[in-house]
Amino acid sequence: MATVEAAYGAGATAPAKPIKSKLSRDDYSMRGLIVVIIVYLAFALILPLALVLTKSVQTYHFTLDQVEVEFFRDGAWVERATLADWVERSDYEVNHGLRASERTREQPAQIIPRGARQDIEQFRLRDLSPEKGLILHAGDLSDSDAWIEVDRREFARVQIRPARSYGLGNFDHYFATPALRVSIVNSLTIALITTGIVIPLAFAYAYGLTRTLMPLRPVFKTIAMVPILVPSLLPAIGLVYLFGNQGILTPLLMGESIYGPIGIVMASAFFAFPHAVLILLVALSVTDARLYEAATALRASPLRTFLTVTLPGARYGLISAFFVVFTLVITDFGVPKVVGGQYNVLALDIYRQVIGQQNFQMGAVVSMILLVPAIVAFTVDRMVTRRQVALLSARAVPYQPKPHRQRDLTFLGICSVVGLFILGILLMCQLAAVFQFWPYDLSLSLRNFAFNQMDGGGWASYGNSIRMALYTAFIGTFLIFFGAYLVEKGNGFTKGRSIFQLFAMMPMAVPGMVLGLAYIFFFNDPANPFNFLYGTMAILVICTITHLYTVSHLTAATALKQMDPEFEAVAASLKQPFWRTFSRVSMPVCLPAMSEIWIYLFVNAMTTVSAVVFLYSPSTTLASVAVLNMDDAGDIAPAAAMGMMIFYTNAGVRILHHIFANRVLGRTQAWRMR
Amino acid sequence: MSEQPYLRVANVTKRFGSFTALRDVSLDVDRGEFVCFLGPSGCGKTTLLRAIAGLDIQSEGTIHQGGRDISALPASMRDFGIVFQSYALFPNLTINENVAYGLHGRGLKRQDIRERVRSLLDTVGLADQGDKYPAQLSGGQQQRVALSRALATEPGLLLLDEPLSALDAKVRQHLRLEIKALQRRLGVTTIMVTHDQEEALAMADRIVVMNVGVIEQVGTPHEVYSSPATAFVADFIGEMNFVPADIVARGEIRVGPDLCCECETDGAATPAAATMAIRLEDIVLTEAGTRDKNHFVGEIRDLEFLGSFVRAYVGGEAIGEVTLRADISANLMRRLNLDIGAKIPVALPANRLHVYPKD
């Protein structure tokens, strides 16, 4: 007791010291785990992206004045000259006058004219550059000033690598090249036109579903969600069948080609539509009925009511939908790949630069450019979404539409047209898949499903896709939910938690193509200890989880925020470790949210193309990539068939999920009943 | 050295950024005591409770519990049970599982846990509800479960954070008796946060009245009611007349133009402007009065019928502009037979007057 007394005395006289809280074992473990997930996201997102930035400012050029050559003649080394001297002497055009890239090589045997070295049996070269590594001979790079001796036969195989430097040269080149630059305008044009078409249609559709009593509303709601279940390549393929050179509806285009902006806009509208509808459904269902009663009481005309009540009420939803659709369209590469024709867009340029030309630096430059609109759209969307929360929490009386024949029939008409467009494209793909050879041989056949006889990995890629989607869904749901739990329910550690929050929001702003490219740079580097992941199933799963992280994290965080914040305080007072509360309370209570995350991850893992197209290996081909490759190889019907396989799978899993949600969740969530 | 206080809070300050929620708060709580933190919202009472629990650790100052320095310990390393206004019952666990939640990992046998849960639920009269889920119980029942859960681990300190605020008035009155009885029987040291003065007066052994981050007064319910230490306490607890006054001499004040009152002035400087305060029920309306100090002839300006008593608004030439409110029991009312406009002698008993510095 004496010590306590002493402590009191000291506390009273000495100047008060700030108390630093001791950490409990839970605090230590939770902080440790937060750091683990931060490190995970750093390796799976931040470092790869940083590499894209680095690559975009790497420029390559030949420094031939730093390579010396000598000939062995009459027992002595003679005619010392640099390759630059030889270029001058022989009027050689280095790299055909093109810009050098990382993979470009020059050959001394080309530079030094045959005539000048006809009788020489021995050559020697040396690298005088300070960084070395200019001369590539027999798989080895020059690493000193020493002469490298080669005989005549080997001399032809010696290669010169360009030197690397840093600067904005790539960007200069990009903007100075009209063929590249035009993609910016093209991408923006496509995105804006598509958004301009999708938003009004989605608004009318969502209005019909929420504000009218038109018949078949549940059916229309289901139809609107169909495009989510297929890769964006599929509507493009459907359009090719409908409006292509042999299409049944081609005359409707009045001579215009489906390959180009028209096709891109139509297919983009198809796959972006459900995302806009989902946002607008929420926006339109939170409006307060009392405002309409007030408007009626004030004798406002229907138009005035619409302009003064309905539109302002949904304005945040409209803005949010605008930016979401804009981002989806501008970052998509599947659609322009199939129906783009000669019309270049940014996302496709990345693919072409990387896969077609192996020009990683230029791919990185286009990535950086594509990041700009994506980040702007993401930022605006986040700001708007934050405001809409306030609107949701208001105590409003839900709006109940009253029967109105003319209005209901009008919206039935609008929704039917949109619904027919969606189902029409899907049906076209279905027909193309099951007929022998549309439109010439209309006998039923499973020929198009014989994937093993085509490019793209065959049925194995379908199996890979299912495995990838299952891994992604199970690992991702747990990882993301657990991460959200740590960040929402942990104590203190503000810095770590804000870094986590920031990292968790970033994937949404990063287009899939950019992420995929970033992964090549990061994981394909032999110096990276994680290099062993390259070409495995694991990297596909990691990439997909990271790509889909943000939306899942937000779903989990929202569910966790709705839980009483005192649960953790109570558990601490009862001296129960956090993982017990996590597994006994938080997870079971949030099971519905977790099952939503699961299905979101599964469906998107099945359909994703953009991020994984750079990362698959011969043993990990995916169904969605197979669609791309079969289409590329001209096997369009099998591509449609594989796309339909993805659709069947997603639809089936969706239905199973629905049953699970109703039955199993219904049983485990019995406590919700009063 | 006599007995140590069970809980000693010394010079505790809590800052949230630039805002100071608690300013140099010191307090002792004895073993087995029932203490209420009472004050308006934002006064720091919940902050102090959370500091004692280790949920939001203070910026400065020390806290000792049972002789142990717990100042910097996280909640999980302290010894307390807590009940929140929201109950914070785990919604997906049954009542039994909720109460048993803290009994895991203590080396208890399954059978022992079951018996302990049963006896706890028996104590709060919910023995037959053990298999239900929280949502199936009423608010009052849920609060009892929360209490059982907090008490299950036999903590040395029970913390109640506005435990009754979410309940209906009837249930609240009933439950506060029950909690008090349970606390007395178990003898557990208890701290309850409330903004309801009636609750605090009815339940507490001692009340800690707080305002803007400091303790205004600590005392038994009777002390804080009948001898409020500051004008804030006087105003916050019960109803009080506040009248501008002048201290004219030691032990004597003047109210209005012509009323002199004897009262305790506690060595305040003279002359000085002050505020005189008197409870509504302490004003005495008499049938026949003397014209002396502490008395004046009042005039009834208005009467308000409030059921068991009548509130009179009393003016008078002697007190000038001032109108005093006085509560008259229905009994006395019948005897006096008062009406608006009636003149009546009014007494302000010296030992019922409080004088506070003018603010």
Side-chain angles (χ1 to χ4, degrees), chain A residues 326-327 330-331 369-379 508-511:
Chain A
F326 182 86
T327 313
I330 205 167
T331 58
I369 291 167
L370 186 56
L371 264 178
V372 175
I375 288 176
V376 169
F378 165 78
T379 314
M508 193 141 101
V510 180

Side-chain angles (χ1 to χ4, degrees), chain A residues 1 4-5 8 16 18-22 24 564 566-567 569-570 572-576 580-581 584-585 588 671 674, chain B residues 4 8 55 57-61 64 67 72 74 76 78 80 84 86 88-89 91-92 101-102 104 133 135 149:
Chain A
M1 286 302 138
V4 172
E5 236 6 83
Y8 292 160
I19 299 271
K20 185 129 175 60
S21 167
K22 289 203 183 83
S24 65
D564 195 326
E566 313 292 12
F567 284 165
V570 166
S573 82
L574 295 172
K575 315 229 178 328
Q576 297 299 317
R580 182 154 187 261
T581 313
R584 281 277 280 165
V585 181
W671 50 269
R674 280 196 166 268
Chain B
Q4 284 289 329
R8 172 163 271 186
L55 296 172
I57 288 181
Q58 70 277 13
S59 317
E60 288 162 21
H64 286 75
S76 58
R78 301 190 183 196
F80 69 96
F84 291 102
S86 64
L89 292 178
N92 60 321
Y101 198 81
H104 282 269
Y133 288 106
R149 182 178 63 182

Side-chain angles (χ1 to χ4, degrees), chain A residues 30 107 154 188 278 326 345 399 453 487 498:
Chain A
M30 288 177 89
Q107 288 166 318
E154 282 175 83
L188 288 174
L278 276 176
F326 182 86
V345 293
Y399 179 81
Q453 289 155 28
V487 80
S498 10

